[in-house]
Amino acid sequence: MTSTRLGGLDDFRVPAALLVIAIHTGPLLSMSPATNYLLTDILARLAVPFFFAVSGWFLLPRVQQQGMAALLPFLKKILILYSISACLYYPVKIYNHTFSWTSLPRELIFDGPFYHLWYFPALLLGTLLVCLSLRYLGRRGTAVLCAALYLFGLLGDSYYGLAQAIPPLYRLYEALFQCFDYTRNGLFFAPLFLLLGDRAGRNPPRHGPQRCWIGFGLGLAALIAEGLAVKHFNLARFDAFYLALPPCLYALLQGLRTLELPPRPGLRAWSGAVYILHPLCILLVRGFAKGFGQTALLVDQSLVHYAAVVGLSALLALPFALLRRRRPTSARSRAWIELDARALRHNLALLRERLPAGCTLMAVVKANAYGHGAVEIARLCAAEGVDAFAVATVQEGEQLRRAGIRGTILVLGYSGPELVPLLARCRLTQTVVSAEHAQLLDGCGRRLQVHLKLDTGMHRLGIPWNDAASLASIYACRNLKVIGTFTHLARAGQRTLEGEHATEEQLACFRTATERLRCAGFDPGALHVQSSYGLLNYPELTCAYVRLGIALYGSLSAPDDHTRLSLPLRPVLALRARVVQVHTLQPGETAGYDGDFIAVRPCHVAVLAIGYADGWPRCLSHGVGQVLLHSRPVPVAGLICMDQMLVDVTEVPNVRPGDIATLIGRDGDAELTAARVARDAGTIANELLSRLGSRVERILLP
Ligand SMILES: *Cc1c(COP(=O)(O)O)cnc(C)c1O
């Protein structure tokens, strides 16, 4: 899944790689050692933590969501890169007579064999440590642990002067330095930055780009001040750790995110190659300079030396960037869903504007967010400040928690007692649908927060609104804490006199029931009744929540629905499929199963790589449904298959394999709404969308 436009992170790899080379070459050394210190020993210290943070950003959410198994491909990749580097540089060490068997284990685990190659073992050890800690200590415990390890590392590094003043501490560090050369390693240095990346990825900036960059500027100023102070007081044993480094890096990550740039996998590969190859380039440049008697220029002139190393590294890394760029991406090769993040934000803003004061929007993300992708939609909503969600099942709620969604998650459906441990562990709010249900939940002995569901006339789930004895029995349950009460309107979408009358009656029953609860001394908690049509047709109701599903996704259930409140909502989802083949048929030839499509004239049929297994209803076969090609509607030809379907493109010139068909959404001036397609299929948009298949990749457009 390509998430929001995080290309800023890719772009910053270039300056970060240049800074790493600067650390190892000292570009300003021959001109001004003080300025060089500022550059390589203070500013450039951002570079390696940046790479750790980016790893944490992408890896840790996956591990927390999918378990430790998700760590294996990452570890494998880093091990391979580490092995390549070791094979590259151990021969150099042997040649230089700096190789020793006794230091091999500490090198491989902590210090790295050459220059900055400590990065790879630190990444391996750091990710293992953070992942295990997240699993056993939780997020807060891990944050405390990583911060403590960092502080300990700090005292053995830039602030070693302080540790030396305390004899027992000094002895402890000296003992540890028998095991590794620096505290800058996978135990003390990497974990905090990995976790910082995870946090930055999870929490989009609360403020605009300006504030982020001002924060970064302030962070840099603090970093410089700290670096100069450390030097002034001569505290450092080595200078990798600074107190200002983590906050400064965090602001940088947030700033880069606000740039919203497209991703650049080529740069990712390039910077990785520069990282591994530049020590080799340093050796080559020095060797060349020696061989050709150019040492005075190519080595002693530090800036020329730096430029030569950068140029050579960039050149040698170029093939990796090109290789990576050429690699085709799997997305969009067959059928895919595009999610328009802007449309969702627009709908959220529009709907929230219409809510009465004190009323909170509860985003209904059941059934994989109506086929849109529950995690993606919940994350986008959370980034906009939504803190109440509704799902149908406990497992759906668990999925959201694993993805880091906070706030209230209300399970709307029935959950049996066997699910109570999971409900409690994930801090989900359960709907209580009857007195018996309450007893079963209560009997599990775990504290649960619940909402009461009242049946006010729909006769689906709920406690009969006038059943005072049942309601009182639920309040007597020791383990259940009622924090909300709601009902569901059966006919909020019907604007007939009969429908409106029935709705008024349901509302009256709900009001009476909640008033009676209060009179009996029971607190019904937060009240809510409206779903999308409830809000759009009864906007004047004042509740604690509205539970919005279909409207949030920018659709109506049916194309001709007219609601009292008519909002310019925008569809969030588009469904597209690739044309994979085009056939020309002569009159009398047939196409598809059962020869269902018969050419009555010479015609062209295009094969689309999408079928009913992807959620495209089979009842749209033989011309009942249509799709858009080159911004024009074309009819479905013959019977829709499981994985493919045919469309008759005779009227549209030049349809070729690789063209993109739009099945739901806009193509130029033409649009097929979900509600329209659903009507053709004899259903409503809610069903059509929620049945879109898991095989269809979801792509988030920023
Ligand atoms: C699905 C559901 C909703 C959301 O309905 P929309 O019409 O899609 O807004 C609200 N409340 C309950 C109880 C639901 O089951």
Side-chain angles (χ1 to χ4, degrees):
M1 156 115 219
T2 20
S3 56
T4 40
R5 292 154 63 93
L6 296 172
L9 295 181
D10 291 340
D11 287 0
F12 192 76
R13 284 164 189 264
V14 176
L18 297 184
L19 285 176
V20 171
I21 301 182
I23 294 177
H24 299 135
T25 52
L28 304 175
L29 215 47
S30 64
M31 286 148 348
S32 158
T35 320
N36 190 69
Y37 178 81
L38 187 72
L39 175 70
T40 62
D41 294 75
I42 304 179
L43 294 180
R45 294 303 178 198
L46 271 170
V48 175
F50 169 79
F51 287 110
F52 282 125
V54 173
S55 295
W57 181 306
F58 293 103
L59 176 71
L60 294 182
R62 228 180 308 150
V63 174
Q64 288 167 80
Q65 212 173 333
Q66 300 161 17
M68 295 295 268
L71 193 57
L72 291 179
F74 175 81
L75 293 182
K76 194 171 137 197
K77 185 176 120 189
I78 299 304
L79 262 177
I80 290 174
L81 287 175
Y82 188 25
S83 309
I84 293 174
S85 316
C87 293
L88 210 56
Y89 292 109
Y90 266 112
V92 176
K93 289 194 85 154
I94 293 170
Y95 177 79
N96 284 345
H97 304 291
T98 48
F99 176 80
S100 111
W101 284 107
T102 45
S103 62
L104 192 64
R106 63 188 288 173
E107 277 177 12
L108 286 181
I109 299 173
F110 294 111
D111 297 336
F114 205 71
Y115 277 97
H116 63 300
L117 289 189
W118 64 276
Y119 173 76
F120 290 114
L123 192 55
L124 292 169
L125 199 59
T127 39
L128 271 173
L129 194 146
V130 172
C131 289
L132 284 172
S133 166
L134 280 170
R135 180 153 172 196
Y136 294 107
L137 301 181
R139 209 170 282 159
R140 201 166 298 164
T142 304
V144 171
L145 177 70
C146 293
L149 288 172
Y150 190 78
L151 286 177
F152 188 81
L154 190 80
L155 275 175
D157 192 90
S158 291
Y159 290 85
Y160 196 50
L162 300 182
Q164 278 172 321
I166 309 168
L169 201 57
Y170 175 63
R171 280 196 295 278
L172 174 64
Y173 279 109
E174 286 305 305
L176 286 175
F177 288 134
Q178 304 297 313
C179 312
F180 37 74
D181 284 345
Y182 307 104
T183 51
R184 181 211 59 183
N185 58 36
L187 286 183
F188 304 106
F189 191 68
L192 185 69
F193 294 114
L194 286 162
L195 200 66
L196 200 75
D198 179 43
R199 249 197 118 85
R202 244 171 237 291
N203 303 322
R206 296 222 185 97
H207 312 291
Q210 222 172 2
R211 287 257 203 120
C212 293
W213 292 120
I214 291 175
F216 177 55
L218 292 175
L220 273 186
L223 187 63
I224 291 170
E226 189 184 358
L228 292 177
V230 161
K231 183 157 171 78
H232 179 77
F233 294 108
N234 203 13
L235 293 174
R237 179 172 180 275
F238 186 66
D239 45 21
F241 287 81
Y242 291 107
L243 279 170
L245 204 48
C248 184
L249 180 68
Y250 194 78
L252 171 67
L253 293 171
Q254 297 289 36
L256 292 172
R257 179 185 195 134
T258 61
L259 297 178
E260 301 231 337
L261 297 171
R264 276 196 256 236
L267 278 188
R268 248 172 271 161
W270 180 86
S271 70
V274 166
Y275 205 91
I276 293 180
L277 292 173
H278 80 268
L280 184 70
C281 296
I282 295 177
L283 297 175
L284 289 176
V285 168
R286 286 175 179 244
F288 177 87
K290 214 168 167 187
F292 290 87
Q294 297 294 329
T295 307
L297 174 69
L298 277 178
V299 179
D300 297 344
Q301 292 285 342
S302 60
L303 201 56
V304 177
H305 179 233
Y306 178 65
V309 173
V310 166
L312 188 61
S313 308
L315 204 67
L316 289 184
L318 202 59
F320 295 92
L322 295 178
L323 269 177
R324 183 59 210 266
R325 237 188 32 195
R326 295 264 164 77
R327 194 190 293 173
T329 51
S330 72
R332 305 183 200 219
S333 70
R334 189 179 167 270
W336 65 95
I337 283 169
E338 289 168 3
L339 300 174
D340 183 348
R342 271 180 217 194
L344 185 72
R345 288 194 277 264
H346 164 88
N347 298 344
L348 269 173
L350 212 56
L351 290 161
R352 281 168 142 180
E353 208 169 274
R354 290 313 176 113
L355 300 186
C359 178
T360 304
L361 186 150
M362 181 182 277
V364 181
V365 292
K366 61 189 178 186
N368 201 23
Y370 293 40
H372 290 60
V375 169
E376 289 82 16
I377 294 293
R379 284 204 177 130
L380 286 171
C381 289
E384 298 301 303
V386 172
D387 61 358
F389 298 87
V391 293
T393 71
V394 179
Q395 287 79 2
E396 288 177 344
E398 184 194 16
Q399 186 195 18
L400 295 187
R401 286 286 188 237
R402 277 176 183 256
I405 299 297
R406 301 174 193 212
T408 302
I409 299 180
L410 175 63
V411 179
L412 296 169
Y414 174 89
S415 309
E418 68 283 1
L419 288 165
V420 166
L422 191 53
L423 275 167
R425 178 144 42 88
C426 297
R427 301 176 323 283
L428 305 178
T429 307
Q430 173 59 43
T431 297
V432 170
V433 306
S434 67
E436 298 74 44
H437 188 205
Q439 301 304 329
L440 283 174
L441 296 175
D442 190 46
C444 298
R446 299 287 297 264
R447 297 277 302 164
L448 284 185
Q449 300 204 319
V450 299
H451 282 210
L452 300 181
K453 174 83 178 273
L454 299 185
D455 178 9
T456 55
M458 181 154 175
H459 298 324
R460 192 171 65 175
L461 288 181
I463 309 140
W465 66 276
N466 51 4
D467 184 352
S470 286
L471 287 168
S473 78
I474 296 169
Y475 279 90
C477 292
R478 288 162 151 252
N479 291 314
L480 306 186
K481 181 163 170 48
V482 178
I483 57 166
T485 300
F486 71 105
T487 192
H488 196 50
L489 300 175
R491 306 177 71 164
Q494 283 180 315
R495 291 193 56 207
T496 57
L497 220 52
E498 210 189 341
E500 287 180 0
H501 180 69
T503 301
E504 292 300 344
E505 206 146 286
Q506 277 196 281
L507 291 171
C509 294
F510 186 71
R511 256 179 238 124
T512 310
T514 52
E515 269 157 31
R516 280 187 195 157
L517 278 176
R518 282 208 192 90
C519 290
F522 300 126
D523 180 7
L527 305 183
H528 46 114
V529 294
Q530 295 145 290
S531 55
S532 296
Y533 279 80
L535 175 73
L536 296 175
N537 283 332
Y538 300 88
E540 68 288 344
L541 293 179
T542 53
C543 285
Y545 292 112
V546 289
R547 307 180 301 266
L548 296 181
I550 195 72
L552 192 60
Y553 306 110
S555 177
L556 291 174
S557 297
D560 305 324
D561 282 344
H562 294 287
T563 51
R564 293 227 329 263
L565 195 61
S566 163
L567 299 177
L569 297 168
R570 296 196 340 224
V572 174
L573 176 145
L575 176 65
R576 308 198 199 272
R578 201 62 85 165
V579 172
V580 287
Q581 233 180 340
V582 180
H583 300 285
T584 303
L585 302 185
Q586 297 310 321
E589 283 190 299
T590 66
Y593 281 125
D594 299 348
D596 189 81
F597 178 80
I598 303 171
V600 292
R601 54 180 176 158
C603 59
H604 303 292
V605 293
V607 184
L608 303 184
I610 187 169
Y612 59 74
D614 301 297
W616 193 246
R618 187 170 177 274
C619 62
L620 292 173
S621 295
H622 36 241
V624 174
Q626 37 179 250
V627 311
L628 302 176
L629 252 172
H630 299 191
S631 306
R632 290 168 62 176
V634 295
V636 176
L639 293 171
I640 292 170
C641 311
M642 187 182 279
D643 318 305
Q644 280 104 29
M645 61 187 266
L646 305 172
V647 289
D648 182 351
V649 295
T650 314
E651 300 293 331
V652 182
N654 300 325
V655 171
R656 299 216 166 82
D659 287 355
I660 295 170
T662 298
L663 291 88
I664 299 174
R666 188 168 271 290
D667 176 10
D669 289 336
E671 185 176 18
L672 271 177
T673 64
R676 158 73 200 278
V677 175
R679 187 187 57 190
D680 291 345
T683 179
I684 55 173
N686 313 42
E687 183 187 355
L688 176 77
L689 292 171
S690 65
R691 293 177 70 152
L692 291 177
S694 56
R695 193 166 71 179
V696 187
E697 196 162 350
R698 272 85 175 152
I699 294 169
L700 191 59
L701 309 180

PDB file of all heavy atoms in Angstrom, residues 476-498:
ATOM      1  N   ALA A 476     -27.473  -3.410  37.215  1.00  0.00           N
ATOM      2  CA  ALA A 476     -27.041  -4.134  38.416  1.00  0.00           C
ATOM      3  C   ALA A 476     -25.788  -4.974  38.150  1.00  0.00           C
ATOM      4  O   ALA A 476     -25.193  -5.514  39.074  1.00  0.00           O
ATOM      5  CB  ALA A 476     -28.179  -5.024  38.908  1.00  0.00           C
ATOM      6  N   CYS A 477     -25.390  -5.104  36.893  1.00  0.00           N
ATOM      7  CA  CYS A 477     -24.194  -5.912  36.577  1.00  0.00           C
ATOM      8  C   CYS A 477     -22.951  -5.189  37.075  1.00  0.00           C
ATOM      9  O   CYS A 477     -22.683  -4.058  36.677  1.00  0.00           O
ATOM     10  CB  CYS A 477     -24.088  -6.132  35.070  1.00  0.00           C
ATOM     11  SG  CYS A 477     -25.387  -7.181  34.414  1.00  0.00           S
ATOM     12  N   ARG A 478     -22.176  -5.882  37.911  1.00  0.00           N
ATOM     13  CA  ARG A 478     -21.033  -5.219  38.547  1.00  0.00           C
ATOM     14  C   ARG A 478     -19.915  -4.892  37.568  1.00  0.00           C
ATOM     15  O   ARG A 478     -19.191  -3.922  37.731  1.00  0.00           O
ATOM     16  CB  ARG A 478     -20.428  -6.149  39.606  1.00  0.00           C
ATOM     17  CG  ARG A 478     -21.278  -6.284  40.820  1.00  0.00           C
ATOM     18  CD  ARG A 478     -20.882  -7.508  41.623  1.00  0.00           C
ATOM     19  NE  ARG A 478     -21.175  -7.248  43.020  1.00  0.00           N
ATOM     20  CZ  ARG A 478     -20.248  -7.029  43.925  1.00  0.00           C
ATOM     21  NH1 ARG A 478     -18.973  -7.039  43.593  1.00  0.00           N
ATOM     22  NH2 ARG A 478     -20.585  -6.792  45.174  1.00  0.00           N
ATOM     23  N   ASN A 479     -19.740  -5.754  36.564  1.00  0.00           N
ATOM     24  CA  ASN A 479     -18.591  -5.570  35.671  1.00  0.00           C
ATOM     25  C   ASN A 479     -18.888  -4.684  34.474  1.00  0.00           C
ATOM     26  O   ASN A 479     -17.997  -4.384  33.687  1.00  0.00           O
ATOM     27  CB  ASN A 479     -18.096  -6.928  35.175  1.00  0.00           C
ATOM     28  CG  ASN A 479     -17.473  -7.721  36.299  1.00  0.00           C
ATOM     29  OD1 ASN A 479     -16.677  -7.175  37.063  1.00  0.00           O
ATOM     30  ND2 ASN A 479     -17.857  -8.987  36.427  1.00  0.00           N
ATOM     31  N   LEU A 480     -20.153  -4.321  34.285  1.00  0.00           N
ATOM     32  CA  LEU A 480     -20.497  -3.519  33.108  1.00  0.00           C
ATOM     33  C   LEU A 480     -20.714  -2.071  33.516  1.00  0.00           C
ATOM     34  O   LEU A 480     -21.456  -1.783  34.450  1.00  0.00           O
ATOM     35  CB  LEU A 480     -21.769  -4.061  32.437  1.00  0.00           C
ATOM     36  CG  LEU A 480     -21.743  -5.544  32.063  1.00  0.00           C
ATOM     37  CD1 LEU A 480     -22.996  -5.903  31.269  1.00  0.00           C
ATOM     38  CD2 LEU A 480     -20.501  -5.888  31.257  1.00  0.00           C
ATOM     39  N   LYS A 481     -20.060  -1.186  32.801  1.00  0.00           N
ATOM     40  CA  LYS A 481     -20.264   0.232  33.068  1.00  0.00           C
ATOM     41  C   LYS A 481     -20.943   0.832  31.843  1.00  0.00           C
ATOM     42  O   LYS A 481     -20.364   0.853  30.751  1.00  0.00           O
ATOM     43  CB  LYS A 481     -18.922   0.915  33.335  1.00  0.00           C
ATOM     44  CG  LYS A 481     -19.065   2.385  33.646  1.00  0.00           C
ATOM     45  CD  LYS A 481     -17.804   2.927  34.299  1.00  0.00           C
ATOM     46  CE  LYS A 481     -17.818   4.444  34.409  1.00  0.00           C
ATOM     47  NZ  LYS A 481     -19.048   5.016  34.943  1.00  0.00           N
ATOM     48  N   VAL A 482     -22.178   1.282  32.037  1.00  0.00           N
ATOM     49  CA  VAL A 482     -22.932   1.856  30.912  1.00  0.00           C
ATOM     50  C   VAL A 482     -22.436   3.276  30.671  1.00  0.00           C
ATOM     51  O   VAL A 482     -22.552   4.139  31.538  1.00  0.00           O
ATOM     52  CB  VAL A 482     -24.442   1.870  31.216  1.00  0.00           C
ATOM     53  CG1 VAL A 482     -25.201   2.524  30.061  1.00  0.00           C
ATOM     54  CG2 VAL A 482     -24.947   0.457  31.475  1.00  0.00           C
ATOM     55  N   ILE A 483     -21.858   3.508  29.481  1.00  0.00           N
ATOM     56  CA  ILE A 483     -21.383   4.864  29.174  1.00  0.00           C
ATOM     57  C   ILE A 483     -22.122   5.462  27.982  1.00  0.00           C
ATOM     58  O   ILE A 483     -21.822   6.571  27.559  1.00  0.00           O
ATOM     59  CB  ILE A 483     -19.859   4.901  28.924  1.00  0.00           C
ATOM     60  CG1 ILE A 483     -19.490   3.941  27.798  1.00  0.00           C
ATOM     61  CG2 ILE A 483     -19.087   4.553  30.178  1.00  0.00           C
ATOM     62  CD1 ILE A 483     -18.095   4.167  27.278  1.00  0.00           C
ATOM     63  N   GLY A 484     -23.105   4.711  27.439  1.00  0.00           N
ATOM     64  CA  GLY A 484     -23.857   5.261  26.324  1.00  0.00           C
ATOM     65  C   GLY A 484     -25.129   4.474  26.083  1.00  0.00           C
ATOM     66  O   GLY A 484     -25.254   3.324  26.538  1.00  0.00           O
ATOM     67  N   THR A 485     -26.077   5.099  25.411  1.00  0.00           N
ATOM     68  CA  THR A 485     -27.336   4.435  25.062  1.00  0.00           C
ATOM     69  C   THR A 485     -27.723   4.901  23.673  1.00  0.00           C
ATOM     70  O   THR A 485     -27.639   6.085  23.361  1.00  0.00           O
ATOM     71  CB  THR A 485     -28.438   4.804  26.072  1.00  0.00           C
ATOM     72  OG1 THR A 485     -28.016   4.390  27.382  1.00  0.00           O
ATOM     73  CG2 THR A 485     -29.756   4.135  25.728  1.00  0.00           C
ATOM     74  N   PHE A 486     -28.105   3.927  22.818  1.00  0.00           N
ATOM     75  CA  PHE A 486     -28.459   4.332  21.458  1.00  0.00           C
ATOM     76  C   PHE A 486     -29.548   3.461  20.870  1.00  0.00           C
ATOM     77  O   PHE A 486     -29.935   2.425  21.434  1.00  0.00           O
ATOM     78  CB  PHE A 486     -27.226   4.361  20.556  1.00  0.00           C
ATOM     79  CG  PHE A 486     -26.639   3.010  20.194  1.00  0.00           C
ATOM     80  CD1 PHE A 486     -26.824   2.482  18.925  1.00  0.00           C
ATOM     81  CD2 PHE A 486     -25.875   2.283  21.103  1.00  0.00           C
ATOM     82  CE1 PHE A 486     -26.270   1.258  18.562  1.00  0.00           C
ATOM     83  CE2 PHE A 486     -25.311   1.061  20.747  1.00  0.00           C
ATOM     84  CZ  PHE A 486     -25.506   0.544  19.489  1.00  0.00           C
ATOM     85  N   THR A 487     -30.060   3.932  19.755  1.00  0.00           N
ATOM     86  CA  THR A 487     -31.021   3.152  19.001  1.00  0.00           C
ATOM     87  C   THR A 487     -30.728   3.369  17.529  1.00  0.00           C
ATOM     88  O   THR A 487     -29.880   4.193  17.166  1.00  0.00           O
ATOM     89  CB  THR A 487     -32.463   3.557  19.355  1.00  0.00           C
ATOM     90  OG1 THR A 487     -33.364   2.586  18.801  1.00  0.00           O
ATOM     91  CG2 THR A 487     -32.828   4.926  18.788  1.00  0.00           C
ATOM     92  N   HIS A 488     -31.368   2.584  16.674  1.00  0.00           N
ATOM     93  CA  HIS A 488     -31.129   2.717  15.237  1.00  0.00           C
ATOM     94  C   HIS A 488     -32.465   2.976  14.550  1.00  0.00           C
ATOM     95  O   HIS A 488     -33.470   2.343  14.880  1.00  0.00           O
ATOM     96  CB  HIS A 488     -30.482   1.434  14.711  1.00  0.00           C
ATOM     97  CG  HIS A 488     -29.846   1.590  13.372  1.00  0.00           C
ATOM     98  ND1 HIS A 488     -28.967   2.605  13.074  1.00  0.00           N
ATOM     99  CD2 HIS A 488     -29.956   0.845  12.243  1.00  0.00           C
ATOM    100  CE1 HIS A 488     -28.556   2.487  11.809  1.00  0.00           C
ATOM    101  NE2 HIS A 488     -29.147   1.423  11.294  1.00  0.00           N
ATOM    102  N   LEU A 489     -32.458   3.937  13.638  1.00  0.00           N
ATOM    103  CA  LEU A 489     -33.702   4.305  12.964  1.00  0.00           C
ATOM    104  C   LEU A 489     -33.905   3.409  11.741  1.00  0.00           C
ATOM    105  O   LEU A 489     -33.010   3.274  10.913  1.00  0.00           O
ATOM    106  CB  LEU A 489     -33.652   5.768  12.539  1.00  0.00           C
ATOM    107  CG  LEU A 489     -33.458   6.765  13.691  1.00  0.00           C
ATOM    108  CD1 LEU A 489     -33.306   8.183  13.150  1.00  0.00           C
ATOM    109  CD2 LEU A 489     -34.625   6.686  14.673  1.00  0.00           C
ATOM    110  N   ALA A 490     -35.090   2.819  11.637  1.00  0.00           N
ATOM    111  CA  ALA A 490     -35.339   1.874  10.556  1.00  0.00           C
ATOM    112  C   ALA A 490     -35.683   2.590   9.255  1.00  0.00           C
ATOM    113  O   ALA A 490     -35.438   2.075   8.168  1.00  0.00           O
ATOM    114  CB  ALA A 490     -36.481   0.935  10.937  1.00  0.00           C
ATOM    115  N   ARG A 491     -36.243   3.799   9.359  1.00  0.00           N
ATOM    116  CA  ARG A 491     -36.807   4.400   8.153  1.00  0.00           C
ATOM    117  C   ARG A 491     -36.349   5.844   7.964  1.00  0.00           C
ATOM    118  O   ARG A 491     -37.067   6.640   7.374  1.00  0.00           O
ATOM    119  CB  ARG A 491     -38.332   4.327   8.256  1.00  0.00           C
ATOM    120  CG  ARG A 491     -38.789   2.898   8.523  1.00  0.00           C
ATOM    121  CD  ARG A 491     -40.260   2.770   8.713  1.00  0.00           C
ATOM    122  NE  ARG A 491     -40.967   2.982   7.448  1.00  0.00           N
ATOM    123  CZ  ARG A 491     -42.237   2.636   7.258  1.00  0.00           C
ATOM    124  NH1 ARG A 491     -42.935   2.080   8.223  1.00  0.00           N
ATOM    125  NH2 ARG A 491     -42.823   2.869   6.116  1.00  0.00           N
ATOM    126  N   ALA A 492     -35.111   6.131   8.434  1.00  0.00           N
ATOM    127  CA  ALA A 492     -34.625   7.509   8.334  1.00  0.00           C
ATOM    128  C   ALA A 492     -34.448   7.949   6.882  1.00  0.00           C
ATOM    129  O   ALA A 492     -34.447   9.138   6.578  1.00  0.00           O
ATOM    130  CB  ALA A 492     -33.309   7.653   9.087  1.00  0.00           C
ATOM    131  N   GLY A 493     -34.316   6.968   5.979  1.00  0.00           N
ATOM    132  CA  GLY A 493     -34.110   7.323   4.576  1.00  0.00           C
ATOM    133  C   GLY A 493     -35.404   7.560   3.817  1.00  0.00           C
ATOM    134  O   GLY A 493     -35.385   8.057   2.690  1.00  0.00           O
ATOM    135  N   GLN A 494     -36.515   7.188   4.412  1.00  0.00           N
ATOM    136  CA  GLN A 494     -37.804   7.319   3.715  1.00  0.00           C
ATOM    137  C   GLN A 494     -38.424   8.671   4.009  1.00  0.00           C
ATOM    138  O   GLN A 494     -38.678   9.003   5.162  1.00  0.00           O
ATOM    139  CB  GLN A 494     -38.761   6.230   4.201  1.00  0.00           C
ATOM    140  CG  GLN A 494     -38.476   4.888   3.603  1.00  0.00           C
ATOM    141  CD  GLN A 494     -39.465   3.859   4.121  1.00  0.00           C
ATOM    142  OE1 GLN A 494     -39.747   3.805   5.319  1.00  0.00           O
ATOM    143  NE2 GLN A 494     -40.006   3.065   3.211  1.00  0.00           N
ATOM    144  N   ARG A 495     -38.697   9.422   2.952  1.00  0.00           N
ATOM    145  CA  ARG A 495     -39.262  10.736   3.203  1.00  0.00           C
ATOM    146  C   ARG A 495     -40.757  10.769   2.900  1.00  0.00           C
ATOM    147  O   ARG A 495     -41.320  11.805   2.556  1.00  0.00           O
ATOM    148  CB  ARG A 495     -38.482  11.789   2.445  1.00  0.00           C
ATOM    149  CG  ARG A 495     -37.091  11.908   3.058  1.00  0.00           C
ATOM    150  CD  ARG A 495     -36.364  13.100   2.600  1.00  0.00           C
ATOM    151  NE  ARG A 495     -37.076  14.341   2.824  1.00  0.00           N
ATOM    152  CZ  ARG A 495     -36.909  15.427   2.095  1.00  0.00           C
ATOM    153  NH1 ARG A 495     -36.088  15.397   1.072  1.00  0.00           N
ATOM    154  NH2 ARG A 495     -37.581  16.531   2.360  1.00  0.00           N
ATOM    155  N   THR A 496     -41.380   9.626   3.040  1.00  0.00           N
ATOM    156  CA  THR A 496     -42.833   9.574   2.915  1.00  0.00           C
ATOM    157  C   THR A 496     -43.431   9.940   4.272  1.00  0.00           C
ATOM    158  O   THR A 496     -42.745   9.886   5.298  1.00  0.00           O
ATOM    159  CB  THR A 496     -43.288   8.156   2.558  1.00  0.00           C
ATOM    160  OG1 THR A 496     -42.798   7.285   3.583  1.00  0.00           O
ATOM    161  CG2 THR A 496     -42.746   7.731   1.215  1.00  0.00           C
ATOM    162  N   LEU A 497     -44.718  10.302   4.253  1.00  0.00           N
ATOM    163  CA  LEU A 497     -45.395  10.663   5.494  1.00  0.00           C
ATOM    164  C   LEU A 497     -45.302   9.511   6.496  1.00  0.00           C
ATOM    165  O   LEU A 497     -45.024   9.690   7.675  1.00  0.00           O
ATOM    166  CB  LEU A 497     -46.867  10.966   5.181  1.00  0.00           C
ATOM    167  CG  LEU A 497     -47.461  12.156   5.936  1.00  0.00           C
ATOM    168  CD1 LEU A 497     -46.596  13.392   5.774  1.00  0.00           C
ATOM    169  CD2 LEU A 497     -48.889  12.414   5.448  1.00  0.00           C
ATOM    170  N   GLU A 498     -45.501   8.305   5.945  1.00  0.00           N
ATOM    171  CA  GLU A 498     -45.475   7.105   6.782  1.00  0.00           C
ATOM    172  C   GLU A 498     -44.103   6.894   7.421  1.00  0.00           C
ATOM    173  O   GLU A 498     -43.994   6.643   8.623  1.00  0.00           O
ATOM    174  CB  GLU A 498     -45.789   5.926   5.864  1.00  0.00           C
ATOM    175  CG  GLU A 498     -46.474   4.781   6.519  1.00  0.00           C
ATOM    176  CD  GLU A 498     -46.507   3.607   5.543  1.00  0.00           C
ATOM    177  OE1 GLU A 498     -46.343   3.824   4.318  1.00  0.00           O
ATOM    178  OE2 GLU A 498     -46.678   2.480   6.029  1.00  0.00           O
TER     179      GLU A 498
END
